């Protein structure tokens, strides 16, 4: 894996949290995006070379809604940038990690994503993400 691509934070109210994180980081979010298939609304902030993703549930079916119910607001996942998501998924499977999706899914911010089950990764929800090349977009 190349680097931490972003840190995902679950929030109850994206608008309020956008204001909070804008005050904290000293910048406005550079993008807001709804991912209908995942029942989430997201916003992204830059902090130097790093990115923060805020996630609000748009439905009770959302994994974010279940997370908030169990744990409340806070860090939800750590995302790592990868060059070849399928190769990385294969490698992790061989290492005994449990993947939450068998095929890369289209995530926010123009990425192919795959999640690793926190039970197989020391309690941390890990996201792999690969930039979607323009010709695939
Ligand atoms: Zn993410």
């Amino acid at each position: 894996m190349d680097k931490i691509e972003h840190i995902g934070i679950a929030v109850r109210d994206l608008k309020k949290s956008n204001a909070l994180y804008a005050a904290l980081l000293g910048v406005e979010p550079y993008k807001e995006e709804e991912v209908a298939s995942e029942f989430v609304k997201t916003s992204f902030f830059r902090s130097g070379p790093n990115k923060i993703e805020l996630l609000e549930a748009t439905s009770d079916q959302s994994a974010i809604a279940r997370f908030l119910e169990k744990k409340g607001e806070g860090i939800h996942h750590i995302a790592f940038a990868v060059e070849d998501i399928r190769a990385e998924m294969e490698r992790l499977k061989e290492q005994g990690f449990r993947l939450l999706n068998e095929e890369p899914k289209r995530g926010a911010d123009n990425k192919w994503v795959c999640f690793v089950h926190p039970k197989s990764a020391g309690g941390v929800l890990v996201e792999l993400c690969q930039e979607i090349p323009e010709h695939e977009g």
Side-chain angles (χ1 to χ4, degrees):
M1 301 202 204
D2 299 334
K3 59 166 188 174
I4 291 180
E5 213 285 329
H6 63 269
I7 293 174
I9 297 175
V11 304
R12 290 189 196 285
D13 181 331
L14 194 62
K15 220 174 158 191
K16 267 192 201 159
S17 295
N18 277 344
L20 175 68
Y21 281 82
L24 180 71
L25 300 171
V27 289
E28 296 295 322
Y30 66 90
K31 145 177 324 190
E32 277 193 38
E33 186 180 349
E34 184 160 350
V35 185
S37 57
E38 296 293 314
F39 310 105
V40 294
K41 258 192 330 204
T42 66
S43 64
F44 286 86
F45 290 82
R46 281 187 215 285
S47 171
N50 303 119
K51 292 199 269 184
I52 301 286
E53 173 186 34
L54 303 184
L55 304 110
E56 177 197 78
T58 56
S59 152
D60 291 345
Q61 300 173 61
S62 165
I64 295 300
R66 294 196 298 272
F67 179 90
L68 287 169
E69 205 172 287
K70 268 205 255 175
K71 303 194 172 168
E73 290 185 305
I75 293 180
H76 177 257
H77 64 268
I78 298 181
F80 292 90
V82 299
E83 281 280 306
D84 180 343
I85 195 166
R86 286 179 188 278
E88 212 50 41
M89 287 165 71
E90 267 317 303
R91 186 182 70 82
L92 293 179
K93 265 198 272 186
E94 278 165 21
Q95 295 288 322
F97 290 96
R98 202 169 124 205
L99 304 182
L100 286 174
N101 43 296
E102 287 296 315
E103 287 290 317
K105 293 194 288 191
R106 190 176 280 269
D109 203 24
N110 195 43
K111 301 277 195 297
W112 291 118
V113 304
C114 174
F115 287 93
V116 180
H117 200 294
K119 278 198 176 135
S120 71
V124 176
L125 178 60
V126 171
E127 175 184 0
L128 309 178
C129 55
Q130 179 190 343
E131 197 83 31
I132 298 178
E134 259 171 47
H135 64 269
E136 285 180 38

mmCIF file of all heavy atoms in Angstrom, residues 85 89 99-105 112-116 126-129:
data_model
loop_
_atom_site.group_PDB
_atom_site.id
_atom_site.type_symbol
_atom_site.label_atom_id
_atom_site.label_comp_id
_atom_site.label_asym_id
_atom_site.label_seq_id
_atom_site.Cartn_x
_atom_site.Cartn_y
_atom_site.Cartn_z
ATOM 1 N N ILE A 85 -5.928 -2.258 -7.148
ATOM 2 C CA ILE A 85 -6.783 -2.694 -6.033
ATOM 3 C C ILE A 85 -7.044 -4.204 -6.086
ATOM 4 O O ILE A 85 -7.073 -4.876 -5.052
ATOM 5 C CB ILE A 85 -8.096 -1.870 -5.992
ATOM 6 C CG1 ILE A 85 -8.792 -2.076 -4.649
ATOM 7 C CG2 ILE A 85 -9.019 -2.187 -7.157
ATOM 8 C CD1 ILE A 85 -9.904 -1.077 -4.361
ATOM 9 N N MET A 89 -6.231 -6.773 -3.135
ATOM 10 C CA MET A 89 -7.297 -7.597 -2.553
ATOM 11 C C MET A 89 -6.869 -9.069 -2.535
ATOM 12 O O MET A 89 -7.083 -9.770 -1.544
ATOM 13 C CB MET A 89 -8.609 -7.427 -3.353
ATOM 14 C CG MET A 89 -9.286 -6.076 -3.122
ATOM 15 S SD MET A 89 -10.569 -5.691 -4.360
ATOM 16 C CE MET A 89 -11.865 -6.862 -3.890
ATOM 17 N N LEU A 99 -12.366 -9.688 3.435
ATOM 18 C CA LEU A 99 -12.780 -8.508 2.686
ATOM 19 C C LEU A 99 -14.301 -8.373 2.753
ATOM 20 O O LEU A 99 -15.015 -9.366 2.751
ATOM 21 C CB LEU A 99 -12.337 -8.621 1.220
ATOM 22 C CG LEU A 99 -10.837 -8.850 0.999
ATOM 23 C CD1 LEU A 99 -10.521 -8.889 -0.493
ATOM 24 C CD2 LEU A 99 -9.998 -7.781 1.688
ATOM 25 N N LEU A 100 -14.769 -7.148 2.829
ATOM 26 C CA LEU A 100 -16.211 -6.914 2.916
ATOM 27 C C LEU A 100 -16.882 -6.891 1.550
ATOM 28 O O LEU A 100 -18.087 -6.992 1.458
ATOM 29 C CB LEU A 100 -16.503 -5.611 3.670
ATOM 30 C CG LEU A 100 -16.271 -5.714 5.175
ATOM 31 C CD1 LEU A 100 -16.439 -4.363 5.838
ATOM 32 C CD2 LEU A 100 -17.219 -6.719 5.807
ATOM 33 N N ASN A 101 -16.100 -6.704 0.501
ATOM 34 C CA ASN A 101 -16.660 -6.878 -0.840
ATOM 35 C C ASN A 101 -15.672 -7.635 -1.722
ATOM 36 O O ASN A 101 -14.474 -7.449 -1.635
ATOM 37 C CB ASN A 101 -17.090 -5.538 -1.460
ATOM 38 C CG ASN A 101 -16.098 -4.400 -1.258
ATOM 39 O OD1 ASN A 101 -15.816 -3.963 -0.146
ATOM 40 N ND2 ASN A 101 -15.556 -3.925 -2.348
ATOM 41 N N GLU A 102 -16.240 -8.510 -2.550
ATOM 42 C CA GLU A 102 -15.415 -9.384 -3.388
ATOM 43 C C GLU A 102 -14.920 -8.658 -4.635
ATOM 44 O O GLU A 102 -13.921 -9.030 -5.222
ATOM 45 C CB GLU A 102 -16.226 -10.615 -3.803
ATOM 46 C CG GLU A 102 -16.451 -11.612 -2.670
ATOM 47 C CD GLU A 102 -15.144 -12.238 -2.170
ATOM 48 O OE1 GLU A 102 -14.327 -12.638 -3.023
ATOM 49 O OE2 GLU A 102 -14.945 -12.289 -0.953
ATOM 50 N N GLU A 103 -15.661 -7.651 -5.037
ATOM 51 C CA GLU A 103 -15.311 -6.858 -6.210
ATOM 52 C C GLU A 103 -15.099 -5.424 -5.762
ATOM 53 O O GLU A 103 -15.795 -4.961 -4.847
ATOM 54 C CB GLU A 103 -16.477 -6.867 -7.215
ATOM 55 C CG GLU A 103 -16.656 -8.178 -7.950
ATOM 56 C CD GLU A 103 -15.527 -8.440 -8.936
ATOM 57 O OE1 GLU A 103 -15.140 -7.490 -9.648
ATOM 58 O OE2 GLU A 103 -15.005 -9.570 -8.954
ATOM 59 N N PRO A 104 -14.184 -4.683 -6.394
ATOM 60 C CA PRO A 104 -14.056 -3.263 -6.062
ATOM 61 C C PRO A 104 -15.387 -2.548 -6.323
ATOM 62 O O PRO A 104 -16.093 -2.879 -7.273
ATOM 63 C CB PRO A 104 -12.986 -2.770 -7.047
ATOM 64 C CG PRO A 104 -12.249 -3.988 -7.491
ATOM 65 C CD PRO A 104 -13.230 -5.118 -7.430
ATOM 66 N N LYS A 105 -15.715 -1.624 -5.429
ATOM 67 C CA LYS A 105 -16.952 -0.846 -5.586
ATOM 68 C C LYS A 105 -16.584 0.592 -5.901
ATOM 69 O O LYS A 105 -15.511 1.063 -5.540
ATOM 70 C CB LYS A 105 -17.743 -0.813 -4.265
ATOM 71 C CG LYS A 105 -18.292 -2.128 -3.831
ATOM 72 C CD LYS A 105 -19.315 -1.943 -2.733
ATOM 73 C CE LYS A 105 -18.701 -1.551 -1.408
ATOM 74 N NZ LYS A 105 -19.652 -1.630 -0.287
ATOM 75 N N TRP A 112 -12.104 3.486 -6.884
ATOM 76 C CA TRP A 112 -12.520 2.112 -6.654
ATOM 77 C C TRP A 112 -12.150 1.794 -5.211
ATOM 78 O O TRP A 112 -11.030 2.105 -4.788
ATOM 79 C CB TRP A 112 -11.805 1.130 -7.576
ATOM 80 C CG TRP A 112 -12.185 1.236 -9.009
ATOM 81 C CD1 TRP A 112 -11.367 1.558 -10.051
ATOM 82 C CD2 TRP A 112 -13.476 0.993 -9.580
ATOM 83 N NE1 TRP A 112 -12.074 1.543 -11.231
ATOM 84 C CE2 TRP A 112 -13.364 1.202 -10.976
ATOM 85 C CE3 TRP A 112 -14.721 0.633 -9.062
ATOM 86 C CZ2 TRP A 112 -14.454 1.059 -11.851
ATOM 87 C CZ3 TRP A 112 -15.800 0.495 -9.923
ATOM 88 C CH2 TRP A 112 -15.665 0.698 -11.294
ATOM 89 N N VAL A 113 -13.063 1.178 -4.461
ATOM 90 C CA VAL A 113 -12.770 0.911 -3.056
ATOM 91 C C VAL A 113 -13.097 -0.522 -2.675
ATOM 92 O O VAL A 113 -13.923 -1.181 -3.311
ATOM 93 C CB VAL A 113 -13.538 1.882 -2.099
ATOM 94 C CG1 VAL A 113 -13.236 3.332 -2.454
ATOM 95 C CG2 VAL A 113 -15.029 1.621 -2.110
ATOM 96 N N CYS A 114 -12.442 -0.977 -1.618
ATOM 97 C CA CYS A 114 -12.741 -2.267 -1.006
ATOM 98 C C CYS A 114 -12.453 -2.121 0.482
ATOM 99 O O CYS A 114 -11.473 -1.469 0.861
ATOM 100 C CB CYS A 114 -11.872 -3.363 -1.602
ATOM 101 S SG CYS A 114 -12.076 -4.945 -0.757
ATOM 102 N N PHE A 115 -13.307 -2.710 1.303
ATOM 103 C CA PHE A 115 -13.102 -2.616 2.745
ATOM 104 C C PHE A 115 -12.642 -3.950 3.320
ATOM 105 O O PHE A 115 -13.060 -5.010 2.864
ATOM 106 C CB PHE A 115 -14.396 -2.182 3.441
ATOM 107 C CG PHE A 115 -14.725 -0.726 3.222
ATOM 108 C CD1 PHE A 115 -15.547 -0.335 2.181
ATOM 109 C CD2 PHE A 115 -14.182 0.253 4.049
ATOM 110 C CE1 PHE A 115 -15.837 1.010 1.969
ATOM 111 C CE2 PHE A 115 -14.460 1.598 3.852
ATOM 112 C CZ PHE A 115 -15.290 1.970 2.805
ATOM 113 N N VAL A 116 -11.788 -3.863 4.331
ATOM 114 C CA VAL A 116 -11.297 -5.044 5.040
ATOM 115 C C VAL A 116 -12.029 -5.091 6.382
ATOM 116 O O VAL A 116 -12.116 -4.068 7.081
ATOM 117 C CB VAL A 116 -9.773 -4.944 5.280
ATOM 118 C CG1 VAL A 116 -9.257 -6.177 6.013
ATOM 119 C CG2 VAL A 116 -9.035 -4.755 3.960
ATOM 120 N N VAL A 126 -10.414 -0.935 7.454
ATOM 121 C CA VAL A 126 -9.412 -0.472 6.487
ATOM 122 C C VAL A 126 -10.071 -0.398 5.112
ATOM 123 O O VAL A 126 -10.795 -1.311 4.708
ATOM 124 C CB VAL A 126 -8.208 -1.448 6.453
ATOM 125 C CG1 VAL A 126 -7.261 -1.114 5.302
ATOM 126 C CG2 VAL A 126 -7.454 -1.416 7.781
ATOM 127 N N GLU A 127 -9.839 0.698 4.431
ATOM 128 C CA GLU A 127 -10.344 0.864 3.073
ATOM 129 C C GLU A 127 -9.154 0.903 2.115
ATOM 130 O O GLU A 127 -8.162 1.568 2.396
ATOM 131 C CB GLU A 127 -11.135 2.186 2.980
ATOM 132 C CG GLU A 127 -11.626 2.535 1.581
ATOM 133 C CD GLU A 127 -12.327 3.904 1.507
ATOM 134 O OE1 GLU A 127 -12.437 4.593 2.518
ATOM 135 O OE2 GLU A 127 -12.747 4.267 0.401
ATOM 136 N N LEU A 128 -9.276 0.153 1.031
ATOM 137 C CA LEU A 128 -8.294 0.289 -0.053
ATOM 138 C C LEU A 128 -8.927 1.190 -1.077
ATOM 139 O O LEU A 128 -10.123 1.054 -1.363
ATOM 140 C CB LEU A 128 -8.033 -1.059 -0.721
ATOM 141 C CG LEU A 128 -7.691 -2.245 0.160
ATOM 142 C CD1 LEU A 128 -7.513 -3.486 -0.708
ATOM 143 C CD2 LEU A 128 -6.442 -1.958 0.962
ATOM 144 N N CYS A 129 -8.176 2.109 -1.645
ATOM 145 C CA CYS A 129 -8.771 2.876 -2.730
ATOM 146 C C CYS A 129 -7.780 3.156 -3.840
ATOM 147 O O CYS A 129 -6.601 3.401 -3.603
ATOM 148 C CB CYS A 129 -9.470 4.134 -2.237
ATOM 149 S SG CYS A 129 -8.471 5.213 -1.258
#
